[in-house]
Each structure stands twice: as C-alpha cells, then as structure tokens.
Amino acid sequence: MAFQQLTRDEQAAWTGDAHALRLAVTRHPAERLLSFWHDKLHLADPAYGPLNTSVQVSRGKSSEEPCRFGDFLTFLDAHWEQLRSDGHLCPQRVWLADASLFNQRIDRDQLAKDLPTLLESFLDPARLGRLRLELSRYDELYRQRLAKRWEQAYSKDGFAILGRLYGEDLEAYGYRLPTRRGDRIRPLAPVDIDALVDPLQQLRERHQQIAGLQQQVQQLQDQLQQAQYALRQPPLPSPQPAVGSWPLHNSPESGLGHLYEALQNGRCKEVLDQLQGLEQHPHRGELDYLAGLAYSALGDHQQALRCYEEAQRHQFLTPYVLFNGANACRALAYLDDSLRLFREALEQFPGFAECRHNYALALMDAAQPEEAERQLRLLLRDQPSYYQAAFCLANLLRDHKRDREAVEAFRLCLQFSPAYADAWNNLGLTHGSLTQAEDAMACYRQALSIDNTFKPSRQNLAQALVQQKKHQEALKEFEHFSSLEMLNSQERVIGLQGQITCLMELDRYEEGLALADVQVDRRLQLMARLHVLPVLYGSSEQLGQVRQRWWDDAQELYGLLEGITQEDSAWELLYAHVWSLTNFYLAYQMENDRPLQELYAGILDRILRPRLGAFMQPRELRSDSDATSLRVGVISPHLINHNGSIWCLGWLAGIADDPNYQIYSYNIGDTEDSGTQRFAALGIYRHLPLRAEQPEPMLQQILDDQLDLLIFTDIGMHPASKIVSVLQLASTQVQGWGHPITSGSKTMQYYLSGAGMEPPGNDEHYSEMLWRLPSTGLNYETPAALHDGQLLFEKFNLPADRPILNSLQSTFKYVPQNDWIFAELAKRNPQALIVLVGHMGHGTIGERLLERMAPHFVQRGLTIDRHLRILPRLDYGDYMGLFSVSHHTIDTIDWNGGNSSLQSFSLDCPVVSLPTAFMRGRHTVAMLEVLDLPDLIAQDANDYIAISTRLLADHDFYAEMRRLIAERKHRLFHDRSVATAFKQAVDGMALRLSPVSGSCESISVSDFAVSSAAAA
C-alpha cells in the first residue's frame, strides 16, 4: 500500500513513532525499468502480452516476438499517461510519497547486505538468523546483478526518456544518469548469467510462488464471500410458535358461515346488503371484518380500512384483521402503516405464511429489498412449498441482476408448482439475461404448453427468435400472438410491428405494405407504412420509389392527425405505434433527410401532445445572475458501452471536474453496465426506463431537476430517444452525433458537430442550429487492441498470402449506386481480398448483398467469391484484430465509418475515404485532415479506386502512409481542445445565445469567444 493511501491518523501514527524503522527500499529507475522489460515482456509474462503486442504493433513488428527494449522505451514515452498507473512502472516517488518520511533508505542491490544490520536492534538472534538465510536465498535466486551493465542497454534518447518520466525518482533518491556520447548500445542478453538470473529457474520459482499465492487468494476469497453473505443475510431466526390467542373466525355459534361462503363466491354486494340488517348481532366486530373484506374485494380500500378499525374497536382483533388492514393500507400506498400492521400480525402469528409473503411485497414497495429478501427466505425455510414466495424471491433477485440465484429460486417455485406459466416465462427471461438463448426459448415453450394463449411467453419467444436471427420462425410466432384475443393496444402494435420487422429482414417489402394496409383506419395504415423500410435495397430505382412512397404517406398522415385527441378511436393505437419503432432505416437512403425528419417529428408531436403536452412547453432560460452550478444532462436509452453514447464521455470530460457544472445522466433504457457506471461517476445518475404505460413520472423527474442544458446522444436509434426528442425537458436541448442526422424536432435547439465534418453550407441539413467543435468534434479515447489478429487467418480461413482490404460496416450502409466500386477494385487488384462483416439480423441480408454486387463482377469477367467475402459478426477483439492484419481500410461511401475509422487509425491501418455532402459521409475526411494525409482523400469514385490501388502497388507510398499514421495518430485521441471547446459551447448554449429553431448560420467556438469577449 502506498503511504498516500493511508488515512491521516495512520500516517501520523507511523511517522510519529520515534522508535520505528521507516525503511524505503528503492532501485535505480533505469535498472528497474530494464528489469521490468526483461521479466514481463522479454520472458513473455502472459499478463503483459497485450502490452508487448501494442509495442510491437506500434513498430510494425510481429507480436509473437518479444519487443526490443528500445521500442518499449519509445512506446512508454508515447503512452505514459495510460501506463504509469501500473505498479511496476509507477515512479517510486509516487508510491513512497515524501522521501523525508523515511529515516532509512536502502538500494535494492544492497538489501541483503545492509538490512540485517538495520534490524539487529529490533529482532532476536533466531529471527535475525532466519532473515539472513532468506535474504541469502533471495540474493542467490532473484537479485539481478546488473551492476553497471544496464547503462549499456540505453541509448542517448533512452536516457532522455528516462529523465522525463522518472526525473522525480532520480532527484528524490540521489540517482544519476550517465552521459552518453552516442546512440550505440549493447543489447543485454537474457542468458548472460552475470547480468540476469537464470530465466528458467526464475520462472519455475515464480510459478511455484504464484500457485501458492493463488491457493491463498482462493481461500481468502471464499472466506470473504462467506463473510459478505453473512452480512447481507444474517442467520434466520429459529421457527417460532404462535404467540397469544385471538377470537375465532366463523365459529358455529356466530352463525356467519353463509356470509363467508358468499364472499368466497364473489357475492360481495350481497354480503354488504345482508350486513345492514345485523346491527344488533352479538358478533359485531366480526361483522365489521366481513364488511371490510367485501369492500376490499370491490376495490374500496379506504372504506375497508374503516371497517377493520371498527372491528378492532369492537374487540375483534386477530392476525387476519391486522393482515387485511395491512393489505388495504398497501393498496392505498400507506406504506408505513402497512408495514406496521403486517409486523403486528406476525408477532401474534409468526407462522402466518401469506402475511409474511405480503409483508415482503410491502417491503419491496418501501424500497427495502434486503429485508424483503430476508422475509422471503425465512418463509421458504419454514415452508419451502409456498411457491408464491419462491416466485417473488426469484423476481426480486432478477431485478437486482442476481440472475443465477434467481434461476434457482424459479426452479424451487416450479418444483412445487410445475404448471405455473408465469414462473416458466420469467425463468426464460432470466436465462435470456444470462445469454442462454436455447434455455430461454425452452422455458417460453414450456409456458405455452401449459397455456397456449399465454401472451407474455408468446411475445418473448417471438422476440428471442428475432435475436437468434430466426426471422421466419419469429414471423409465425408474431402472427400467432396477433391472433390472440383480448390484446390491448400496445400488444396489438407489438404483434404488427414484429411481423413487419421480420418481413423486412426476409426481403418481403410488398407483404409488409399489404400487412400495414389491413388496418381499418387510414391513419393507422399510414402509421404502420412509415415503418415499412427495406434493410437492404435491391436497386437504386427501388430506393427512390420507397423514399417517394414514404414521403407521400408521411404528408398524408400529418394532415389527418391535425387536432387529434385522446378521445379519438385511433389515438391509443397511434400512441402505441410511436413507442414501438423508429424510422431508423430512412437515414440510410443517403439523401437530405431534413424535410422528412421534420415531417416525422411533426407526426410524433401531434400523436404525443394530447397526453404529454405538459412536457412540450418552453422552459425558462437561466438568468445571467444565477450563480449556482450550471445543470447539464445527458440522456439516452443506450447509456452503456454503446457506440451511440459512450463517445459523449469525452465531451463531458471538459466539465466533469469543474464545480461550476453539475452533470445529470439519464438512462431511459433497461440495460446497465460498466459504461453506465462511468456516466454515473460524473455526477447524479438516474435510471428511468421509459414505458408507454406511464412515462409521466420519469419525465417529471427530469423536469424537476431543472436542467439548463440536455444532450441527446443518439436520437433515432431507439423509440424512446425519438419520443423524448420532441419533448422540451430542459431549457436548452442539444443533439450529438451518435446517430448523425438531424432530429427534425422544434424542441431541439442545437446540433453539436465537428468543424472537419461540416463544410460551409452544411447548416441547411439541420433543423437545429449547428455548432461546430474543433476538428472531428470528438475527444475520443484510444481504442484498446486485445490481440494482433493473426489467429483470424485460421479462424476464418483467410489467405495469408493476399492483402486484405477491410470494409467493416453495417450492411445497410451499402447502397446500390456504389456496388460497382468493389468490382472495379477487384479487377485492378485481383491479388487483394475484400472483406466485409455480416448483418446483425437475418443471414440472408449478406447473401442478398453479394447477389446484388455479383453482376458488376461478372461484367468485368470476375467471380465475386474469389474477390469478396462476408465474415460472420465479429466480437470486439476479432474486430480490432482484423484491422491489424488488413492491408488497408476502404471506407463506406455516403455513410463513413466513425468509430471504425478511429479504430483503424489506432492500429496504423490506412483508410481510403471519399467525402460526400452530408456529415455522415464526412467522418473520415475530418480524421484524415487532422492527420494531414490528403493523399488518402479521394475526389471522386475513380480517385477512390486509384488511391486504394496505389496503396497496394506502391510499397514506398504504403509504408509512408503507415509511418505517418503511426507518427500522427495521437492527434485523433484524447483531444482536450475539444473538451475545452465543449465547455465553451455549453456556456454559450445555456447562458449566452437564445435557442432558436429552424435554419440559422452556424456558430464556431471561436465566434463565441469573440462575442463573449465583446460583451465583457
């Protein structure tokens, strides 16, 4: 542990003991660094394999070989901020804090010699002897006798790097660097016994130590786990007998059996009528109790509660009266009273299973999940057959992401109630969370075997089949689901949209339109038709026809929606449609979508306004005199490790540590992960899963936070993001580039982009005011590479003797007008292999793309299979690895790679790009301008082909491009100037410039800086 990690009291106690030996053991930084390279990289410690790979890849060398020490030094210098936190590389001055804290210091090379002398006054002779023996063994087996030989491993530049990185160590501990007159070095051989220990012996000893430590760690982890579980789950009390006594219910002498029977048969009003003539009955308290049961059954919980109070006043107080009173309080949301009454009932009757179960439910209502879990486990211990408690416990565990425990609880429930369809359904959902798709679908099918009309399992089975890319089977399940009786509006739309989604994946566009037209109301027909958009177009002609049809439908629908209210017979279904799908695929027609997006936003506005109009009102701007922290929010259903939102962390870094700003993160989706935690760490985090049934409380929470500015990261990638984009949840609302297309919404005041992606005139593409941040507009983290890609040759049967041109984009980015380019590239470079990646949905999408491209290859006398392949979907490691083994990247035209281009550049892989008019077609050109590599920017399609061909044919040109990328790629990452500009933009948008809608001139950060200076 570092001294700085101790508490102040611990530091004071440690430094204040005059008799303590405060010993610092240090090592010359140059010797220490060389030793690290030797032990961890040269001897191929697996834990540091990725670092060795990164060093080697940065030098264009094979990661199978250990890196050279000089290469490691250069890499360390370039990535110091990322690597310095490693305990082996961190400066000793950081770990040991102030050197004056120690009263003794020994150089590591002198440890065996000097330490016993220092400890003579502290240890008895026996212990001192054992210490000498251990130090002797250490000196023989582990101490590296580098002496002055480490000086010969450093060049002049190496010593300069060492001085920059470890200057504090050199100064604090009195170490010196020799002066070298040249760069000639003598490599230090690992087999030089006089310099380094025997590596084989060292590894044997280390492995023995590791094995022993692993065993100790495992034992300690087991103990820790047991202790943590004991803290979370204190031992359950022993079963208790019933305490006290209470009046009997339905005793023979009361003569009330007929009333109990009537209640059991649901004849509640009849019971209340009969009770009116029994005011003088001797069992008056029990009559009040029966009246309470009747009122509860009729939903009048307030009157029921009065009756239970009357029963108590008439001396009829039993655990059942308390229990039903608690239930009434719970129904009325009187949580404190409900919990009190449940506890009182259990004090009288500890074995009252239903009471303990409902008590647990009330605890969950009161946000006390730990105590609720305890009560359920207590009940199941005493009555394991009480399957409702097992079901409740399983759902509680599932809600808290304890899925494996939830599986066991569901199994316990089903052991005693095997025909419980709800339990089978929720067990399926839990398996789904554990990515156990086959087990999940088996559970849904089991539920359906119990009840063929069970809607949740039919819907979940259909959606699981979609996730497994089994769209034909999913289509049948959605059809079955839609045929069920008693579907509500949301379920009817889910069934319809599920069928449309499957039909689009299966390339059955006309059937999708026909299905939409089955709706009786013309508005419902048109609403469904707006979501009938092909995933992949068969031709440019089809693309144009679909676009025109969509525009005509949208215009007609917008007109028909004028003045619609919630009382309209079609409104409820239209509202459900809004929550089901987006017009995501519209943007991939690669044309100016501003008019279409504005029209679609208008449609959403007219449908949502009757219910959510209160969330569409203008919000008062922040006063210039307001001295409180500026409240900035970020909102997304993908506030996780997702390309649509994770980039926003780079923007927020500009204000994250500034007390003048308060950051709010709103996750309106279901999922949370480590990316969510990173957003949460910035300030206030709220998980507000937005649902069609009751969105108002979630939206009100955002309004209550009184945001000055709210950033929408990826409008259009999820229905919820599109819905909130037409609301006014903050004084000023800003769209980011997660889905790089205008929102079209009147409530979205700004679009934040990058100057390199937005040439003059691009303002007309946005309904928002365009605000340009510097260069790419991104403060992007350096992508991590997990392996060097060599394993991909065997994994995907890639040829090792052919250059690979990768185009690793979503299938729907490939429009028909650009197909010929791939064929022409293959014709000019028959030795190359073009590699794409498969579609995220149905597998036939990739096959149809090949079929569409094939005629262009045939026209050039080529067979497409010999020149172009589509790989399966790749995980992150393989995706990055493919850039490492690719010759270069051919960027998609019209919709560039964004994250993928940055990933390619991070691995020195050149990207050839042809910029087009819209921002989504200019991502990569902005990066190439930052890298100052105009030679990779094409002027037209023929130039695009020519540049790719030159990279393949001109080895010097290709080597120069890779060298320049390796030299300059740091410019693309961790660009604090963007974070700083974002901070200025936030101030300008929230405080200085009134938000406006429609077309305006763009604003650059420098413009704002000038105007604010003039105002001052």
Side-chain angles (χ1 to χ4, degrees):
M1 175 180 288
F3 180 83
Q4 291 176 326
Q5 293 175 298
L6 299 175
T7 66
R8 290 187 177 181
D9 290 342
E10 289 171 332
Q11 291 180 7
W14 194 73
T15 56
D17 186 351
H19 302 288
L21 172 62
R22 299 190 295 276
L23 172 65
V25 179
T26 62
R27 194 177 188 185
H28 196 295
E31 183 180 344
R32 177 173 175 247
L33 199 58
L34 180 62
S35 175
F36 169 84
W37 164 80
H38 173 267
D39 290 357
K40 304 301 182 184
L41 302 181
H42 194 86
L43 292 182
D45 185 334
Y48 286 85
L51 176 58
N52 186 74
T53 297
S54 296
V55 175
Q56 290 293 82
V57 169
S58 72
R59 307 298 293 177
K61 300 176 182 179
S62 171
S63 64
E64 298 298 322
E65 299 294 328
C67 65
R68 295 176 58 209
F69 180 61
D71 293 341
F72 164 65
L73 274 180
T74 303
F75 186 88
L76 181 65
D77 188 36
H79 299 82
W80 177 240
E81 291 302 321
Q82 297 165 264
L83 299 177
R84 65 180 299 169
S85 60
D86 183 274
H88 297 284
L89 299 174
C90 179
Q92 297 162 95
R93 177 69 171 75
V94 174
W95 282 107
L96 299 176
D98 188 355
S100 63
L101 295 172
F102 300 90
N103 53 23
Q104 295 289 340
R105 185 183 71 84
I106 299 178
D107 184 86
R108 176 173 154 165
D109 284 345
Q110 303 301 313
L111 191 64
K113 175 185 175 183
D114 294 345
L115 183 59
T117 303
L118 289 174
L119 294 176
E120 280 182 351
S121 60
F122 294 88
L123 301 178
D124 59 67
R127 294 179 65 187
L128 191 61
R130 289 196 298 271
L131 175 65
R132 292 182 188 275
L133 183 63
E134 183 64 27
L135 287 173
S136 175
R137 184 171 180 272
Y138 157 79
D139 196 54
E140 178 183 354
L141 294 178
Y142 300 111
R143 184 170 71 85
Q144 296 175 336
R145 298 171 178 81
L146 292 173
K148 295 293 185 180
R149 296 211 175 179
W150 55 261
E151 298 181 14
Q152 300 171 353
Y154 285 85
S155 66
K156 182 178 180 180
D157 289 340
F159 280 131
I161 292 172
L162 197 70
R164 285 196 298 272
L165 304 186
Y166 294 95
E168 285 184 318
D169 281 3
L170 295 169
E171 181 178 352
Y173 307 120
Y175 291 120
R176 296 288 181 267
L177 292 179
T179 303
R180 291 190 63 89
R181 297 180 179 178
D183 289 329
R184 186 176 180 181
I185 62 174
R186 175 180 179 270
L188 194 64
V191 295
D192 187 347
I193 303 300
D194 186 43
L196 296 167
V197 301
D198 176 5
L200 293 178
Q201 178 64 24
Q202 186 186 47
L203 288 174
R204 290 189 201 103
E205 296 288 339
R206 180 179 296 163
H207 290 162
Q208 290 175 3
Q209 290 180 350
I210 290 173
L213 289 172
Q214 287 176 336
Q215 185 175 2
Q216 295 178 37
V217 168
Q218 185 61 51
Q219 293 172 350
L220 291 172
Q221 287 177 336
D222 292 342
Q223 295 174 17
L224 178 61
Q225 186 176 13
Q226 293 172 6
Q228 289 175 333
Y229 184 82
L231 288 173
R232 292 197 309 267
Q233 306 292 338
L236 296 174
S238 301
Q240 300 176 15
V243 177
S245 60
W246 52 84
L248 292 177
H249 286 256
N250 196 19
S251 61
E253 60 269 21
S254 70
L256 300 177
H258 65 292
L259 295 179
Y260 278 97
E261 182 180 357
L263 284 173
Q264 288 179 344
N265 293 325
R267 304 198 307 273
C268 300
K269 290 185 178 180
E270 177 184 326
V271 170
L272 292 174
D273 291 339
Q274 292 188 42
L275 288 174
Q276 290 180 359
L278 299 175
E279 288 84 356
Q280 303 305 316
H281 195 283
H283 292 262
R284 179 61 188 272
E286 189 168 5
L287 293 179
D288 292 325
Y289 170 69
L290 290 170
L293 293 179
Y295 280 119
S296 287
L298 292 170
D300 190 347
H301 302 290
Q302 194 69 59
Q303 186 60 38
L305 194 57
R306 296 192 189 100
C307 292
Y308 298 136
E309 291 170 349
E310 284 297 304
Q312 182 176 354
R313 191 171 67 83
H314 288 102
Q315 307 304 310
F316 189 75
L317 181 60
T318 75
Y320 302 98
V321 175
L322 293 168
F323 167 69
N324 284 289
N327 287 333
C329 287
R330 181 172 173 241
L332 294 166
Y334 301 161
L335 293 181
D336 290 340
D337 290 333
S338 175
L339 295 173
R340 175 179 57 80
L341 291 172
F342 279 129
R343 284 193 290 266
E344 291 179 8
L346 288 169
E347 286 172 4
Q348 285 194 32
F349 185 10
F352 192 172
E354 187 177 1
C355 181
R356 195 171 297 280
H357 176 258
N358 286 18
Y359 178 40
L361 296 178
L363 286 165
M364 285 190 278
D365 294 340
Q368 299 180 40
E370 295 84 2
E371 181 59 24
E373 180 183 348
R374 183 174 181 275
Q375 292 297 325
L376 290 168
R377 291 189 183 277
L378 179 64
L379 173 54
L380 289 168
R381 181 204 63 184
D382 297 339
Q383 299 186 47
S385 62
Y386 199 95
Y387 67 89
Q388 299 95 328
F391 180 70
C392 183
L393 175 61
N395 288 324
L396 174 63
L397 294 169
R398 180 172 169 265
D399 288 343
H400 288 80
K401 307 294 189 296
R402 294 160 63 183
D403 292 318
R404 298 192 185 280
E405 294 177 76
V407 167
E408 296 306 316
F410 280 126
R411 287 175 177 166
L412 176 63
C413 170
L414 291 165
Q415 177 182 344
F416 293 99
S417 182
Y420 194 0
D422 289 270
W424 282 110
N425 180 74
N426 289 12
L427 176 58
L429 292 172
T430 311
H431 280 303
S433 299
L434 293 168
T435 65
Q436 298 166 350
E438 293 301 325
D439 290 336
M441 291 189 289
C443 291
Y444 302 142
R445 291 189 171 102
Q446 182 65 30
L448 292 170
S449 72
I450 297 167
D451 180 0
N452 193 43
T453 65
F454 189 56
K455 293 184 292 186
S457 286
R458 186 69 65 185
Q459 176 185 336
N460 290 335
L461 177 58
Q463 291 172 336
L465 288 166
V466 168
Q467 292 171 0
Q468 293 300 302
K469 305 182 183 181
K470 299 178 180 179
H471 291 87
Q472 188 63 55
E473 296 177 53
L475 177 59
K476 294 179 181 178
E477 294 298 334
F478 277 122
E479 290 172 346
H480 196 157
F481 178 79
S482 297
S483 69
L484 297 175
E485 297 180 358
M486 304 298 292
L487 294 176
N488 61 34
S489 296
Q490 194 70 33
E491 291 165 343
R492 288 172 62 186
V493 169
I494 287 172
L496 174 62
Q497 295 291 9
Q499 293 176 73
I500 290 175
T501 296
C502 292
L503 290 170
M504 295 303 97
E505 289 285 337
L506 296 169
D507 195 30
R508 293 157 66 175
Y509 170 73
E510 295 298 335
E511 291 180 58
L513 286 178
L515 181 62
D517 290 341
V518 169
Q519 312 303 306
V520 176
D521 190 291
R522 178 59 177 167
R523 293 167 297 180
L524 293 174
Q525 288 182 5
L526 293 167
M527 191 68 191
R529 285 169 65 94
L530 291 187
H531 300 296
V532 181
L533 288 167
V535 178
L536 187 73
Y537 293 96
S539 65
S540 296
E541 291 73 23
Q542 184 198 25
L543 189 154
Q545 293 167 3
V546 170
R547 188 173 181 83
Q548 185 61 51
R549 189 272 306 165
W550 195 95
W551 172 253
D552 294 341
D553 288 344
Q555 282 189 309
E556 183 182 355
L557 176 60
Y558 181 74
L560 293 174
L561 291 174
E562 185 174 5
I564 192 170
T565 65
Q566 285 186 262
E567 289 70 34
D568 192 294
S569 60
W571 179 84
E572 194 171 323
L573 283 168
L574 289 166
Y575 176 80
H577 270 285
V578 169
W579 287 88
S580 297
L581 284 178
T582 73
N583 62 345
F584 174 78
Y585 286 115
L586 183 69
Y588 293 91
Q589 294 172 349
M590 310 303 183
E591 298 188 30
N592 184 5
D593 290 327
R594 176 179 173 179
L596 285 75
Q597 290 291 90
E598 289 175 333
L599 187 57
Y600 189 69
I603 289 170
L604 298 186
D605 181 287
R606 288 189 169 182
I607 294 172
L608 293 171
R609 187 170 291 274
R611 178 167 177 175
L612 302 179
F615 302 99
M616 295 177 168
Q617 305 306 312
R619 306 293 161 194
E620 186 176 349
L621 287 176
R622 181 185 182 90
S623 169
D624 287 339
S625 61
D626 190 341
T628 62
S629 297
L630 203 139
R631 295 175 292 277
V632 179
V634 56
I635 186 169
S636 173
H638 297 127
L639 214 64
I640 53 178
N641 284 312
H642 187 282
N643 284 346
S645 63
I646 200 70
W647 53 268
C648 193
L649 290 168
W651 281 0
L652 296 172
I655 61 174
D657 298 323
D658 192 324
N660 294 314
Y661 302 85
Q662 177 68 63
I663 298 176
Y664 294 76
S665 299
Y666 301 98
N667 180 1
I668 58 174
D670 295 323
T671 308
E672 296 177 296
D673 65 10
S674 60
T676 313
Q677 295 172 1
R678 295 179 65 190
F679 280 102
L682 297 175
I684 296 173
Y685 170 72
R686 305 199 191 280
H687 190 196
L688 306 173
L690 217 54
R691 298 285 187 275
E693 296 81 7
Q694 199 175 11
E696 290 87 352
M698 308 296 189
L699 299 174
Q700 188 61 49
Q701 175 63 72
I702 301 175
L703 284 188
D704 290 346
D705 288 334
Q706 299 181 344
L707 299 174
D708 298 300
L709 185 139
L710 182 57
I711 302 165
F712 297 70
T713 63
D714 53 342
I715 295 173
M717 296 189 74
H718 188 281
S721 67
K722 198 65 182 173
I723 287 167
V724 294
S725 75
V726 299
L727 308 179
Q728 189 77 51
L729 301 175
S731 301
T732 303
Q733 301 192 154
V734 182
Q735 181 179 355
W737 82 301
H739 189 49
I741 184 173
T742 181
S743 69
S745 173
K746 295 179 181 178
T747 61
M748 199 64 51
Q749 285 79 36
Y750 293 94
Y751 193 105
L752 268 177
S753 186
M757 301 182 191
E758 305 286 3
N762 265 29
D763 311 73
E764 296 301 322
H765 303 157
Y766 299 94
S767 60
E768 306 85 4
M769 181 183 292
L770 180 61
W771 193 302
R772 293 173 171 89
L773 297 176
S775 61
T776 64
L778 296 173
N779 177 24
Y780 201 88
E781 294 180 337
T782 303
L786 304 183
H787 61 76
D788 62 2
Q790 295 299 317
L791 59 86
L792 302 179
F793 289 107
E794 181 177 355
K795 185 173 183 178
F796 297 116
N797 194 27
L798 295 174
D801 58 347
R802 297 176 66 182
I804 294 174
L805 311 186
N806 80 72
S807 183
L808 309 182
Q809 300 298 315
S810 299
T811 311
F812 40 78
K813 286 188 178 183
Y814 298 92
V815 291
Q817 67 190 30
N818 297 325
D819 288 352
W820 70 274
I821 294 174
F822 293 93
E824 188 62 26
L825 272 171
K827 179 184 177 182
R828 298 193 192 182
N829 306 282
Q831 79 282 12
L833 177 66
I834 301 171
V835 172
L836 281 61
V837 289
H839 178 54
M840 64 183 67
H842 197 263
T844 60
I845 295 287
E847 296 173 8
R848 295 202 301 274
L849 178 59
L850 288 177
E851 291 173 1
R852 196 186 73 191
M853 290 180 169
H856 296 285
F857 284 79
V858 172
Q859 290 172 10
R860 291 163 175 79
L862 304 174
T863 302
I864 191 170
D865 292 342
R866 293 179 57 84
H867 302 277
L868 188 148
R869 281 181 54 189
I870 298 182
L871 300 180
R873 299 291 294 178
L874 304 174
D875 62 28
Y876 177 81
D878 288 351
Y879 189 85
M880 290 293 291
L882 197 51
F883 289 118
S884 294
V885 298
S886 293
H887 187 273
H888 64 272
T889 297
I890 47 176
D891 200 14
T892 36
I893 301 170
D894 294 312
W895 195 308
N896 292 170
N899 293 289
S900 59
S901 290
L902 289 164
Q903 289 161 342
S904 184
F905 287 127
S906 75
L907 294 171
D908 306 337
C909 183
V911 183
V912 180
S913 188
L914 171 57
T916 52
F918 307 107
M919 186 263 276
R920 56 186 182 266
R922 303 186 64 85
H923 298 335
T924 308
V925 70
M927 301 171 201
L928 288 168
E929 288 175 349
V930 170
L931 295 173
D932 193 19
L933 294 176
D935 289 340
L936 298 179
I937 302 173
Q939 302 303 310
D940 53 35
N942 287 318
D943 192 31
Y944 176 91
I945 296 167
I947 294 172
S948 183
T949 300
R950 183 184 178 192
L951 284 170
L952 288 164
D954 188 338
H955 300 299
D956 291 339
F957 174 66
Y958 176 68
E960 178 67 3
M961 291 299 101
R962 288 188 66 93
R963 185 187 70 78
L964 291 174
I965 292 170
E967 181 181 290
R968 302 170 182 173
K969 64 185 178 183
H970 66 276
R971 302 177 186 175
L972 293 172
F973 306 112
H974 304 283
D975 187 349
R976 292 292 301 181
S977 69
V978 172
T980 301
F982 171 77
K983 180 177 179 180
Q984 295 174 345
V986 166
D987 290 342
M989 291 183 292
L991 301 175
R992 307 282 180 163
L993 302 171
S994 299
V996 293
S997 300
S999 173
C1000 331
E1001 292 190 4
S1002 63
I1003 304 164
S1004 68
V1005 172
S1006 58
D1007 292 336
F1008 169 64
V1010 171
S1011 64
S1012 62

